[in-house]
Amino acid sequence: GNSVTQMEGPVTLSEEAFLTINCTYTATGYPSLFWYVQYPGEGLQLLLKATKADDKGSNKGFEATYRKETTSFHLEKGSVQVSDSAVYFCALSDNQAGTALIFGKGTTLSVSS
Amino acid sequence: KAGVTQTPRYLIKTRGQQVTLSCSPISGHRSVSWYQQTPGQGLQFLFEYFSETQRNKGNFPGRFSGRQFSNSRSEMNVSTLELGDSALYLCASSLDAGGPTDTQYFGPGTRLTVL
C-alpha cells in the first residue's frame, strides 16, 4: 500500500543553519506530495506541494522537489529561524476517489538562537 | 475568508460515553475529511465527505461515524468511547474532491480526552 517515510527527529539546529528533512514515499500511480507544518497547540498548515514529477514547491524559504526516480520529496531551507521550530509532516495523496492524505510520522525541528 | 473551524476545542469524556465533534469548512469548500492524531499512530485518515456522501473511509471500527449536511458542515461521532480514542481530531476541507491535486486546509482540531 501507499506509505510515507520521514527521517526521525528531533532535529536541533542553530539559527541560520541549513535544514534538510528527508521524505521518501511508496505509491501506485502518480501521487501529489505535500509538506505540512504544525506549530504547538495548532492544526496543520500547508507549507508547500508538488503535483507531478520534477515540480518544485516553495514557500517562506522552504523548498522541495518531487523526484520520481528516487521517490523522494525532501524539504530544505537555506537559513532557519527560531520561528521555524515546529513539527513537519510529509504527505501524499493518491486516491482517485477522493483526497485522503497519507502522512509520515512527522519530524520535530527545534531551532535555537 | 474564515478558515476551518472546529467545536469544541477540548472535550473530556469517560469510557462508554459517546461524543459528537463538529466542523465548519471554509466557505465554498464541498469536501470535508477527518483525521485522528495520536503520539503512537500519528495522523490517520478517518473518512471523507463530499456533497453529503461518504466518499472514502479509513481503517477504523464502526464506532466512528460521520455525516455532512447540505451546507457542507460535518460532524463525526464516536460511540462507546475507549481510552485509546483519546486524540486530537482534525478536520480538513477542500474546494472540490477533485482527486490527488486538491489541497486540504486543516482546522485547529478538537482535543478529546477519555478517562
Side-chain angles (χ1 to χ4, degrees):
Chain A
N2 297 344
S3 65
V4 175
T5 302
Q6 281 181 245
M7 61 186 288
E8 296 286 331
V11 174
T12 303
L13 296 173
S14 298
E15 208 165 24
E16 299 183 4
F18 184 85
L19 168 71
T20 299
I21 300 178
N22 290 338
C23 171
T24 57
Y25 67 90
T26 301
T28 55
Y30 303 94
S32 291
L33 302 173
F34 304 83
W35 278 101
Y36 281 87
V37 57
Q38 186 175 35
Y39 298 99
E42 299 184 12
L44 299 173
Q45 298 178 25
L46 177 68
L47 186 57
L48 52 85
K49 74 175 189 180
T51 58
K52 61 183 187 300
D54 300 324
D55 266 2
K56 177 186 282 189
S58 61
N59 185 27
K60 300 180 182 179
F62 291 90
E63 293 183 341
T65 301
Y66 188 142
R67 301 285 188 202
K68 193 169 187 297
E69 63 276 12
T70 55
T71 61
S72 65
F73 193 55
H74 305 320
L75 182 68
E76 296 182 336
K77 187 176 185 183
S79 176
V80 294
Q81 306 299 312
V82 172
S83 57
D84 294 327
S85 298
V87 182
Y88 292 80
F89 293 92
C90 184
L92 71 81
S93 176
D94 190 25
N95 189 322
Q96 298 301 318
T99 55
L101 289 169
I102 296 169
F103 286 91
K105 292 289 190 185
T107 302
T108 299
L109 171 65
S110 179
V111 181
S112 58
S113 58
Chain B
K1 190 182 275 190
V4 178
T5 58
Q6 293 186 245
T7 56
R9 291 294 310 277
Y10 301 91
L11 208 47
I12 299 176
K13 293 285 187 180
T14 57
R15 278 180 299 174
Q17 288 187 310
Q18 75 164 14
V19 67
T20 300
L21 312 181
S22 181
C23 171
S24 292
I26 293 171
S27 178
H29 283 195
R30 297 189 293 163
S31 172
V32 172
S33 297
W34 289 89
Y35 295 83
Q36 181 195 65
Q37 185 177 24
T38 60
Q41 299 299 316
L43 281 152
Q44 294 185 284
F45 171 74
L46 280 156
F47 27 64
E48 177 201 1
Y49 287 87
F50 177 74
S51 293
E52 303 178 64
T53 301
Q54 187 181 88
R55 286 173 51 92
N56 204 356
K57 188 177 188 305
N59 189 26
F60 278 81
R63 299 185 297 108
F64 292 82
S65 63
R67 59 177 174 169
Q68 186 180 34
F69 302 95
S70 58
N71 61 359
S72 294
R73 191 177 70 85
S74 177
E75 290 181 347
M76 68 163 280
N77 184 276
V78 188
S79 62
T80 319
L81 284 166
E82 300 176 359
L83 295 179
D85 296 333
S86 294
L88 181 67
Y89 289 88
L90 293 165
C91 168
S93 75
S94 58
L95 187 61
D96 189 9
T101 61
D102 212 5
T103 297
Q104 294 186 48
Y105 297 88
F106 284 79
T110 294
R111 172 74 62 185
L112 172 65
T113 301
V114 182
L115 302 176

